[in-house]
Amino acid sequence: MSQLELLDVSKHYKSGSELVRAVDSVSLTLSAGELVGLYGPSGSGKTTLLLLGAGLLTPDSGRILFDSRDIGRMGNRQRARYRLREVGFVTQSFHLMPRASALDNALIKLPAAGLTLQQARARTTGWLERVGLGARIDYPVERLSMGERQRVAIARALVNEPHLLLADEPTGNLDSSRTREILGLVRDICHERSVPGLLVTHDPEAMSFVDRVYTLRDGRLSDGLHAELAATPS
Ligand SMILES: Nc1ncnc2c1ncn2[C@@H]1O[C@H](COP(=O)(O)OP(=O)(O)OP(=O)(O)O)[C@@H](O)[C@H]1O
Ligand SMILES: [Mg+2]
């Protein structure tokens, strides 16, 4: 049963003479099978928090445990393996290769994760179909719409069948019926596969898909949705 625990975690950036408390003494547990919503205004530390959970940043203080393993104390190889095999991360900017097809973009992690190219292609095709891109599998990404690119990025985060799902505004470019479809997919994956999920969003519609909600403001986490913050676009 997967679980992510952040124990009194802080991450501060120095920008000139200014100290930015991007994440400030945050404690949070994501249990197996629950999807947690994270709201907060632009610059409140949401992406930083996800990067910490993904092992892409190390905290200045505090501990981050995935299944009781301390991510901060992992060696480079172990941390790379954690990111590759256990984490599904839908990043805020998609980082797709424009000339490569939707399929090649979405399967990029799989050969490194131990699948043959043929297995990787079959599995990735299935996920691209599930996010509604069955007719665009061989299209170069540069010819896809922004919403379609977003869905490639979502498929890429899911193909390794992660044990932890981190999604940074995964529906920012989608219309409301696609948004509901993708949020439903993310929720179902968390529930059916007992995967903990953290979903950064500004979309009030996401409220009905998540199991609980936190608000981040100036790096500090509080329970519940602070309505005035939810409406702030990033
Ligand atoms: N590498 C960095 N160096 C200095 N400051 C940084 C760095 N990365 C982020 N910050 C600052 O940390 C704060 C939190 O940034 P973060 O990207 O986590 O915010 P966010 O909540 O994801 O915002 P948005 O909704 O706009 O995506 C911001 O004030 C940002 O300027
Ligand atoms: Mg962000």
Side-chain angles (χ1 to χ4, degrees), residues 6 41 56 62 67 69 72 82 133 144 158 162 166 196 211 215 226 232:
L6 281 77
L56 287 160
D67 285 346
R69 285 172 291 152
Y82 168 69
L133 284 180
L144 299 180
L158 298 175
L166 302 169
D211 299 303
T215 302
H226 297 231
T232 313

Side-chain angles (χ1 to χ4, degrees), residues 189-228:
I189 286 168
C190 292
H191 290 184
E192 286 162 19
R193 301 183 182 209
S194 290
V195 169
L198 187 59
L199 173 80
V200 168
T201 180
H202 285 100
D203 191 344
E205 189 154 25
M207 280 291 282
S208 54
F209 290 87
V210 296
D211 299 303
R212 60 202 167 88
V213 169
Y214 288 95
T215 302
L216 199 60
R217 190 200 318 235
D218 295 332
R220 308 286 302 213
L221 194 71
S222 54
D223 274 345
L225 173 62
H226 297 231
E228 84 283 5

Side-chain angles (χ1 to χ4, degrees), residues 11-15 18 20-23 40-51 57 92 168-169 200 202 216 219 232-234:
K11 180 74 191 175
H12 299 165
Y13 296 113
K14 257 197 133 151
S15 191
E18 198 198 351
V20 181
R21 296 174 196 281
V23 169
S42 182
S44 60
K46 305 180 299 295
T47 297
T48 305
L49 193 64
L50 294 192
L51 291 168
L57 281 178
Q92 195 168 13
D168 204 346
E169 298 199 52
V200 168
H202 285 100
L216 199 60
T232 313
S234 67

Side-chain angles (χ1 to χ4, degrees), residues 52-219:
L52 288 163
L56 287 160
L57 281 178
T58 41
D60 296 322
S61 60
R63 295 198 305 151
I64 303 175
L65 307 179
F66 184 72
D67 285 346
S68 310
R69 285 172 291 152
D70 191 332
I71 299 173
R73 301 182 80 142
M74 287 178 181
N76 286 345
R77 276 176 77 100
Q78 214 185 349
R79 193 168 318 134
R81 202 180 152 87
Y82 168 69
R83 290 200 296 261
L84 200 59
R85 303 236 167 154
E86 318 228 43
V87 179
F89 192 1
V90 186
T91 50
Q92 195 168 13
S93 4
F94 314 140
H95 305 299
L96 299 172
M97 299 173 288
R99 301 255 160 98
S101 67
L103 180 70
D104 286 344
N105 269 283
L107 66 68
I108 189 95
K109 281 164 90 175
L110 289 180
L115 266 71
T116 67
L117 199 53
Q118 201 176 15
Q119 289 168 324
R121 283 199 173 123
R123 193 195 280 183
T124 306
T125 299
W127 281 105
L128 286 169
E129 284 166 354
R130 226 172 141 186
V131 298
L133 284 180
R136 294 284 183 276
I137 284 170
D138 295 318
Y139 269 51
V141 157
E142 62 191 358
R143 281 197 234 148
L144 299 180
S145 73
M146 289 310 278
E148 288 169 338
R149 290 177 202 202
Q150 183 144 45
R151 284 181 279 151
V152 174
I154 291 165
R156 182 183 54 191
L158 298 175
V159 289
N160 64 336
E161 297 176 351
H163 298 143
L164 168 67
L165 197 51
L166 302 169
D168 204 346
E169 298 199 52
T171 58
N173 292 288
L174 304 182
D175 59 40
S176 74
S177 80
R178 262 315 162 200
T179 293
R180 282 196 299 278
E181 215 174 286
I182 293 295
L183 291 174
L185 176 67
V186 169
R187 179 198 53 200
D188 291 350
I189 286 168
C190 292
H191 290 184
E192 286 162 19
R193 301 183 182 209
S194 290
V195 169
L198 187 59
L199 173 80
V200 168
T201 180
H202 285 100
D203 191 344
E205 189 154 25
M207 280 291 282
S208 54
F209 290 87
V210 296
D211 299 303
R212 60 202 167 88
V213 169
Y214 288 95
T215 302
L216 199 60
R217 190 200 318 235
D218 295 332

